[in-house]
Amino acid sequence: MPGMSCSQAQKAAAVNNDTAIELFAELDGAPYPISEAHRIRTADCFDIFARVPTGGAPIDAYPAASDGFWLMLHSLAPGSHTLKFGGRYKHAAMDYGRMVQDIEYELLVR
């Protein structure tokens, strides 16, 4: 964000993923392998609002960075599917160390 260097933005984006534990993903109840190989970080910083029409004063959101675990799902059969994923973090700071994510999406494929 403004006033922050690119390296500071990248460090902030990585704070939880550096200490992620118990990561999981499931597709239709079956475990979907997830590992450090799924962690992707942006090499350079970017302005998250650069392509969004503002209709007024432009929003300066540089530098922004991304750091996360990403999965690519192969083609799914038509119908309803359930994707669940999440994990815990053991960061030393209380604000981050107690975070738990348990997310569920219903995907409708036509």
Side-chain angles (χ1 to χ4, degrees), residues 8-27:
Q8 289 172 317
Q10 289 170 320
K11 184 177 179 181
V15 72
N16 279 341
N17 294 325
D18 287 341
T19 61
I21 58 174
E22 298 176 12
L23 297 175
F24 73 92
E26 296 176 4
L27 180 60

Side-chain angles (χ1 to χ4, degrees), residues 2-109:
M4 183 181 281
S5 71
C6 182
S7 63
Q8 289 172 317
Q10 289 170 320
K11 184 177 179 181
V15 72
N16 279 341
N17 294 325
D18 287 341
T19 61
I21 58 174
E22 298 176 12
L23 297 175
F24 73 92
E26 296 176 4
L27 180 60
D28 296 331
Y32 201 94
I34 185 168
S35 70
E36 187 66 26
H38 293 100
R39 185 175 178 184
I40 307 294
R41 303 171 185 128
T42 52
D44 297 313
C45 287
F46 54 92
D47 180 347
I48 197 165
F49 294 114
R51 296 184 190 170
V52 177
T54 62
I59 300 170
D60 180 12
Y62 182 87
S66 178
D67 184 318
F69 289 84
W70 300 86
L71 299 175
M72 179 182 285
L73 301 178
H74 297 285
S75 297
L76 298 174
S80 179
H81 299 274
T82 303
L83 175 64
K84 292 182 70 170
F85 59 93
R88 289 190 318 117
Y89 304 96
K90 63 175 197 174
H91 194 275
M94 280 191 152
D95 293 344
Y96 294 104
R98 296 181 179 184
M99 184 183 289
V100 175
Q101 291 184 325
D102 189 356
I103 300 159
E104 181 174 332
Y105 286 107
E106 180 181 357
L107 309 175
L108 301 174
V109 179

